[in-house]
Amino acid sequence: MLRLSKLADYAVVLLARLGQDGALHTAPALATATGIAEPTVAKVLRILSQGGLVEAQRGARGGHRLIRPTCAIPLADVIIAMDGPIALTACVDGATGGCESEGHCPVRGRWDPVNQAVHAALSAVTIADLSRPSCSELHRRAPVSPAAHLAAE
């Protein structure tokens, strides 16, 4: 099973929260808003900062903010920042030494198109896409009466 690391999952949540208003947010405030433990928030923000996705401002009025809007942050960038290159197997993209069978493997190099497709799919989804409310959330927030729905048609 392919699964994001917990830290990558937390990174998506934090980036979505940071993108809601573009303001500076402290780690304690983000921890409270997201329910993620403060030490974990600080760790994820540090990694995201090193990955060029957030910037930190020090001082009494400091905090963290996005470097670019959520619509310009592909999920692939977040995963790479948090977990390293996206690779489904040890031999993807010409890596060597990750498998004892690589010298005589009949599928060596055949995973590259699959890996490229996964990378492309993850690059096509942005943090903004993930942070938009779903249809069911929109209906739950503002239910439409049947009469209003019929009048609109």
Side-chain angles (χ1 to χ4, degrees):
M1 169 183 350
L2 295 174
R3 185 177 293 220
L4 285 178
S5 72
K6 200 67 167 163
L7 289 180
D9 184 25
Y10 291 154
V12 170
V13 171
L14 292 170
L15 290 169
R17 178 65 186 101
L18 285 168
Q20 286 181 342
D21 58 15
L24 282 171
H25 294 272
T26 64
L30 287 167
T32 300
T34 62
I36 301 170
E38 188 178 335
T40 303
V41 169
K43 178 179 181 175
V44 170
L45 288 172
R46 186 172 49 256
I47 295 168
L48 291 172
S49 181
Q50 292 167 348
L53 298 172
V54 301
E55 64 182 353
Q57 181 176 319
R58 296 192 176 273
R61 297 179 186 250
H64 292 81
R65 78 172 127 233
L66 297 177
I67 290 177
R68 50 193 166 162
T70 57
C71 63
I73 303 174
L75 184 55
D77 287 4
V78 180
I79 295 169
I80 291 167
M82 298 306 298
D83 297 335
I86 298 168
L88 298 178
T89 64
C91 61
V92 170
D93 292 333
T96 58
C99 176
E100 65 272 359
S101 302
E102 68 183 90
H104 56 276
C105 179
V107 294
R108 174 132 175 95
R110 304 302 194 292
W111 279 104
D112 290 342
V114 176
N115 195 63
Q116 291 165 358
V118 169
H119 192 281
L122 293 171
S123 294
V125 177
T126 67
I127 298 301
D129 295 329
L130 294 173
S131 59
R132 287 189 186 113
S134 68
C135 287
S136 61
E137 289 173 317
L138 289 173
H139 287 292
R140 194 172 37 239
R141 289 184 199 162
V144 177
S145 70
H149 178 70
L150 291 174
E153 293 179 354

